[in-house]
């Protein structure tokens, strides 16, 4: 009895299922990062207010930068998976289909991107991301600076934190652009 091999189509469908599972896990993780950020912000602000120590607010920028960067990286990978399915995997599977089959493989991957409100949603999401991961820690730094009770070392640290937060904000804006078929290094 001859062994049956795995077809290219089966391999491509298995790859599709695997990367969609990864995408789904990343979406859940990414979305939870916003809730974690809100909880951390609330906890740090409450602790700083209770202790009447504005210097405790210096904990917010590094935490928000790390959580924001993790959010951004996961969001980029989620988009990259969609791009890969649309531009690479789908066409390769379509080539295996019988001639004359007028259909689009994984049509949802492209269809949901044609919604007329998509650009508005993406812009609002960028504003939310900038607020959660950048505006809140910058506001904490302003409160710290206004308090004037930090020594030279803490003020220096706060400036470095401000630069990191601004850097994250720039990255949020850069990643806001739609994914392109040609991926550049970086």
């Amino acid at each position: 009895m001859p062994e049956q091999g795995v077809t290219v189509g089966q391999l491509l469908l298995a790859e599709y299922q695997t990367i969609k599972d990864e995408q789904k896990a990343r979406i859940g993780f990414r979305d939870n990062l916003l809730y974690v950020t809100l909880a951390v912000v609330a906890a740090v602000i409450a602790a700083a207010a209770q202790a009447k120590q504005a210097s405790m607010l210096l904990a917010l920028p590094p935490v928000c930068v790390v959580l924001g960067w993790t959010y951004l990286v996961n969001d980029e990978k989620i988009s990259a998976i969609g791009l890969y399915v649309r531009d690479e995997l789908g066409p390769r599977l379509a080539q295996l289909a019988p001639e004359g089959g007028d259909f689009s493989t994984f049509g949802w991957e492209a269809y949901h991107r044609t919604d007329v409100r998509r650009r508005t949603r993406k812009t609002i999401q960028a504003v939310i991301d900038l607020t959660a991961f950048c505006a809140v820690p910058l506001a904490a730094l302003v409160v710290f600076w206004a308090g004037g009770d930090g020594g030279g070392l803490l003020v220096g640290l706060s400036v470095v934190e401000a630069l990191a937060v601004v850097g994250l904000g720039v990255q949020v804006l850069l990643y806001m652009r739609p994914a392109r078929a040609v991926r550049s290094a970086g």
Side-chain angles (χ1 to χ4, degrees), residues 4 14 16 18 21 44-45 47 54-55 58 61 63 77 91 102 117 139-140 162 165 173 176 179 183:
Q4 290 187 356
Y16 171 77
T18 301
D21 288 344
V44 169
I45 289 172
S55 61
L58 293 179
V63 169
K77 295 300 179 219
D102 187 25
R117 294 189 189 114
V165 171
L173 293 174
M176 179 181 149
R183 295 176 48 86

Side-chain angles (χ1 to χ4, degrees), residues 103-122:
F103 72 97
S104 173
T105 55
F106 310 126
W108 174 251
E109 297 291 339
Y111 178 79
H112 77 93
R113 300 173 61 80
T114 63
D115 179 14
V116 295
R117 294 189 189 114
R118 183 171 190 274
R119 173 166 266 159
T120 301
R121 277 195 316 277
K122 295 290 274 182

